[in-house]
Amino acid sequence: VITAARSRADWKVRVLNATQNYQHFLTNIRPAGMIGRFTRPEQREAISRLKIPTVSTTNVFFNPEISRVGLNDAAIGKMAAEYFLGLG
């Protein structure tokens, strides 16, 4: 995601870790949208209040106001097993 976003001249990329103050970032930067792992309740609440396009890349936490994408663990497991079986 970061590589794709940085290739766009009209996009600005900010990488924050879970311990940084999201409220300060959201208030001062006012992003037009966000993509990331929003694992802390205060992060999800602050983002939801802004009503900006957001996609969470974790399927562990559910917030109906934030779209999310996740992994298909069964398909990944099957693909890995087939790969290793193919090696002999």
Side-chain angles (χ1 to χ4, degrees):
V1 172
I2 292 171
T3 302
R6 285 189 173 146
S7 70
R8 302 263 324 238
D10 57 336
W11 286 26
K12 302 292 184 229
V13 178
R14 302 278 195 279
V15 179
L16 304 175
N17 64 45
T19 61
Q20 290 178 292
N21 184 340
Y22 269 74
Q23 189 60 51
H24 174 77
F25 169 76
L26 296 173
T27 302
N28 294 310
I29 303 296
R30 299 288 304 170
M34 296 181 72
I35 301 171
R37 292 179 48 88
F38 311 112
T39 58
R40 299 174 74 181
E42 60 270 20
Q43 294 168 336
R44 296 188 303 274
E45 291 166 10
I47 292 165
S48 291
R49 283 193 298 273
L50 286 179
K51 307 284 188 223
I52 60 174
T54 304
V55 176
S56 177
T57 58
T58 180
N59 59 359
V60 176
F61 301 97
F62 178 68
N63 181 332
E65 297 177 22
I66 298 177
S67 299
R68 61 188 171 134
V69 296
L71 303 175
N72 183 333
D73 294 328
I76 292 169
K78 180 180 179 208
M79 188 185 316
E82 289 170 351
Y83 171 77
F84 287 122
L85 288 170
L87 293 177

